[in-house]
């Protein structure tokens, strides 16, 4: 089932998400819907707050970057109760976009390596280090769990320049090929 995607300005994108219990109802179905919604919208990731749920769940698919980074081939995963415990390595600037902020693409600097604890789709607790593009994709989605949107990372000048565009997006003035939920 395709889930509508929440658009910039909606308060759910500003909430800090909560861990979910092991017996969270219909998690399997929710993850299936998340993957389907991400694929249909051509996204490389989708976090639960983007479909209106303040829970620490996100899905990623880095396959599109396999040519740039062979490590990304088959990097299609769900992360549950994710917590980044360490960020290091150099800062790398990459051009980002977000399904919740349609039409805006800006360079964002992020650490090139992270260590994260999480549960996989089977509920197994894991600790793993991610680098390069994988770390980049994860940090963008992880930000959504913390109530952060990628434009928050821009300089105040850049933010000022984008203010009108962001207001227009909040009011529904954009084109998207997927179903959306606008802020009230
Ligand atoms: Zn996003």
């Amino acid at each position: 089932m395709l889930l509508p995607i929440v658009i910039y300005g909606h308060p759910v994108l500003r909430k800090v998400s909560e861990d979910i219990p092991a017996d969270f109802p219909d998690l399997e179905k929710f993850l299936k819907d998340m993957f389907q919604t991400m694929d249909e919208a051509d996204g490389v990731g989708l976090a639960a707050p983007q479909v209106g749920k303040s829970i620490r769940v996100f899905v990623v698919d880095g396959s599109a970057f396999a040519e740039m980074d062979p490590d990304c081939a088959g990097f299609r995963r769900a992360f549950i109760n994710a917590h980044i415990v360490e960020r290091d390595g150099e800062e790398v600037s990459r051009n980002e976009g977000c399904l919740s902020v349609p039409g805006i693409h800006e360079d964002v600097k992020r650490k090139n390596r992270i260590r994260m604890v999480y549960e996989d789709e089977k509920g197994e607790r894991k600790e793993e280090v991610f680098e390069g593009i994988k770390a980049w994709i994860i940090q963008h989605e992880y930000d959504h769990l913390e109530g952060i949107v990628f434009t928050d990372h821009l300089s105040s000048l850049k933010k000022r320049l984008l203010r009108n565009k962001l207001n227009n997006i909040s009011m529904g003035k954009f084109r998207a090929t997927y179903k959306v939920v606008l802020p009230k």
Side-chain angles (χ1 to χ4, degrees):
M1 187 178 78
L2 290 175
L3 307 168
I5 294 175
V6 170
I7 294 300
Y8 185 89
H10 195 292
V12 75
L13 294 176
R14 292 308 183 183
K15 279 169 80 177
V16 176
S17 294
E18 306 270 352
D19 281 339
I20 55 168
D23 61 351
F24 187 80
D26 297 325
L27 180 61
E28 204 177 316
K29 162 91 169 89
F30 179 64
L31 292 177
K32 203 175 150 206
D33 292 346
M34 290 276 287
F35 276 116
Q36 194 192 347
T37 303
M38 172 180 69
D39 291 345
E40 189 72 20
D42 265 333
V44 296
L46 184 69
Q50 293 183 277
V51 295
K53 290 206 188 307
S54 284
I55 57 174
R56 298 189 82 84
V57 174
F58 61 88
V59 297
V60 300
D61 189 342
S63 328
F65 295 100
E67 256 178 48
M68 275 168 71
D69 179 353
D71 240 21
C72 283
F75 182 55
R76 185 173 168 87
R77 308 257 292 267
F79 297 99
I80 297 136
N81 295 341
H83 294 272
I84 292 178
V85 292
E86 203 182 326
R87 298 180 204 241
D88 63 4
E90 55 176 330
E91 288 212 307
V92 180
S93 185
R94 292 190 172 95
N95 199 253
E96 292 193 21
C98 179
L99 296 175
S100 294
V101 195
I104 292 189
H105 291 88
E106 294 291 338
D107 286 348
V108 175
K109 257 191 204 168
R110 296 186 187 274
K111 291 283 191 187
N112 205 40
R113 183 165 54 227
I114 58 162
R115 179 187 300 273
M116 188 166 73
V117 293
Y118 65 93
E119 286 151 32
D120 66 11
E121 283 166 81
K122 291 172 195 123
E124 228 167 285
R125 195 92 189 133
K126 302 245 166 110
E127 178 167 344
E128 193 172 348
V129 171
F130 299 93
E131 291 186 73
I133 290 181
K134 285 178 171 178
W136 166 55
I137 296 171
I138 286 175
Q139 286 177 92
H140 176 111
E141 299 314 321
Y142 186 85
D143 271 354
H144 283 301
L145 309 185
E146 299 289 305
I148 298 166
V149 177
F150 81 101
T151 51
D152 297 351
H153 293 292
L154 303 174
S155 68
S156 43
L157 172 65
K158 199 91 220 194
K159 276 185 219 164
R160 217 157 41 234
L161 293 171
L162 282 176
R163 195 180 293 153
N164 283 340
K165 263 193 185 176
L166 289 169
N167 284 340
N168 283 339
I169 288 170
S170 298
M171 290 187 295
K173 293 179 192 162
F174 59 84
R175 269 166 202 261
T177 54
Y178 41 89
K179 266 201 250 168
V180 299
V181 179
L182 293 175
K184 286 266 146 53

